[in-house]
Amino acid sequence: MKALFISDIRNFLLGKNIYDLSKPDCVFMLGDLLLDGPGQFYVLKKPQIPESVNVEKLKAENAVYAEDEFLVVKGNTHVSKELFKLHLSYFLDFVKYIEKEGSKAFLIYGNHDKIFDYNDILSKNEIKRFKVYETYGLVNCADKNILLVSYGENADVASYKRADLVATHKSTKDLFNISKLMKRCSLVISGHYGTKLIKISSKGDDFSHYERIIVKIDHFPLSFASVDFEHENVSLYTSDESIYFKTKISKDSFTEEKSAFCFA
């Protein structure tokens, strides 16, 4: 059983490819999906541009490099209506693909998501398998208790103590505080900003013995996390903007940082 964690989305177009590489049983989207501070980056072949998008307006609203066969678009859905349309279209394509493949799917809110009603967006597009948690909720994946906590929200202490894994959208300082509320062996994965894998040991720098792991992800597809429950490990995958220009990506397109974990 595997789970895929993504957050702070810069590009949904590569989502299907990364999903196929990960082969997850559960997908967790950890906030800032349609709006994200640093903005979006797409490299599009002309047939990939949705019909709803006005290409000339897209060029006027964003930094666009155009050739006969493709467009390179760098901008921000906060300010560009046409880029928002494009980004939303690829978000819906991706979640429909996840639904078709049969994975469980969960979504929480980040600090840029509060203006959206994701339940309404998904239901209007006949997407039924996604579960949206605007505050917090405890779900099951691979017989583990996964606590989902949206930005600006907090679960009750009992829920933190029951959780094997917390998936959220918070600062690193908040994540350390959350880990202290959990079981002795625990894992916290969060979007928001920063990319790192942190092992917490009660024996200083002796990481042959550690109790907790914190994983920070942002700017998908430049980073994402994968948990393999069967083999008891978590991986943080990172790349750079050259990935947008690749016609096909593989695990070799990313740097992997892996750690074993324990669940009490």
Side-chain angles (χ1 to χ4, degrees):
M1 293 286 287
K2 295 181 180 179
L4 173 66
F5 298 80
I6 69 173
S7 184
D8 302 80
I9 313 300
R10 299 202 72 190
N11 180 310
F12 274 114
L13 186 59
L14 300 177
K16 294 178 185 178
N17 200 165
I18 290 172
Y19 177 95
D20 290 341
L21 289 175
S22 305
K23 297 181 171 58
D25 300 279
C26 304
V27 177
F28 296 89
M29 294 189 178
L30 305 186
D32 288 1
L33 308 179
L34 298 180
L35 300 179
D36 183 40
Q40 285 64 46
F41 195 137
Y42 281 90
V43 179
L44 303 165
K45 291 185 177 179
K46 294 293 178 66
Q48 294 175 314
I49 301 173
E51 291 183 3
S52 61
V53 175
N54 183 310
V55 176
E56 293 309 311
K57 287 184 179 180
L58 183 69
K59 290 179 181 178
E61 293 172 352
N62 300 276
V64 175
Y65 173 75
E67 288 209 356
D68 291 339
E69 296 185 2
F70 64 87
L71 287 176
V72 178
V73 183
K74 193 169 186 177
N76 197 305
T77 52
H78 280 284
V79 295
S80 171
K81 291 181 180 180
E82 297 305 313
L83 183 56
F84 181 84
K85 288 183 198 175
L86 185 145
H87 194 56
L88 174 62
S89 176
Y90 283 120
F91 165 70
L92 294 172
D93 284 349
F94 183 41
V95 296
K96 288 175 182 177
Y97 186 74
I98 293 169
E99 185 165 72
K100 179 176 72 71
E101 293 298 307
S103 296
K104 292 182 178 179
F106 307 93
L107 183 159
I108 64 171
Y109 279 69
N111 52 304
H112 293 289
D113 288 312
K114 295 297 185 178
I115 65 171
F116 297 111
D117 182 342
Y118 281 113
N119 278 313
D120 184 59
I121 292 171
L122 295 171
S123 65
K124 283 181 177 177
N125 288 276
E126 300 182 345
I127 297 161
K128 301 173 182 177
R129 289 179 65 90
F130 262 74
K131 301 296 183 185
V132 177
Y133 290 86
E134 192 168 353
T135 55
Y136 70 91
L138 202 62
V139 303
N140 184 275
C141 180
D143 294 323
K144 302 298 180 186
N145 291 320
I146 316 295
L147 179 62
L148 305 177
V149 185
S150 286
Y151 179 84
E153 304 293 336
N154 264 310
D156 57 88
V157 173
S159 294
Y160 284 118
K161 290 187 179 300
R162 286 182 60 195
D164 298 298
L165 188 159
V166 171
T168 187
H169 191 98
K170 293 183 181 291
S171 69
T172 303
K173 179 181 177 181
D174 289 334
L175 303 182
F176 277 101
N177 292 333
I178 286 171
S179 72
K180 293 175 184 177
L181 297 173
M182 297 173 67
K183 301 174 183 177
R184 183 172 174 273
C185 292
S186 59
L187 175 61
V188 181
I189 300 177
S190 179
H192 197 20
Y193 58 83
T195 305
K196 62 181 74 174
L197 189 153
I198 305 167
K199 297 179 183 180
I200 302 171
S201 172
S202 62
K203 296 185 176 181
D205 294 330
D206 178 11
F207 293 119
S208 63
H209 174 90
Y210 53 87
E211 290 80 30
R212 298 177 177 88
I213 298 174
I214 293 172
V215 182
K216 287 284 292 177
I217 56 174
D218 68 2
H219 299 169
F220 179 82
L222 302 185
S223 75
F224 62 94
S226 178
V227 173
D228 185 333
F229 293 102
E230 181 181 356
H231 297 100
E232 297 187 337
N233 59 63
V234 57
S235 292
L236 170 64
Y237 292 95
T238 56
S239 188
D240 57 39
E241 289 187 344
S242 65
I243 197 170
Y244 299 127
F245 296 88
K246 295 182 179 180
T247 55
K248 186 171 179 62
I249 59 175
S250 66
K251 287 284 179 74
D252 292 335
S253 304
F254 300 89
T255 299
E256 180 184 9
E257 186 176 1
K258 181 185 286 190
S259 176
F261 59 74
C262 64
F263 283 137

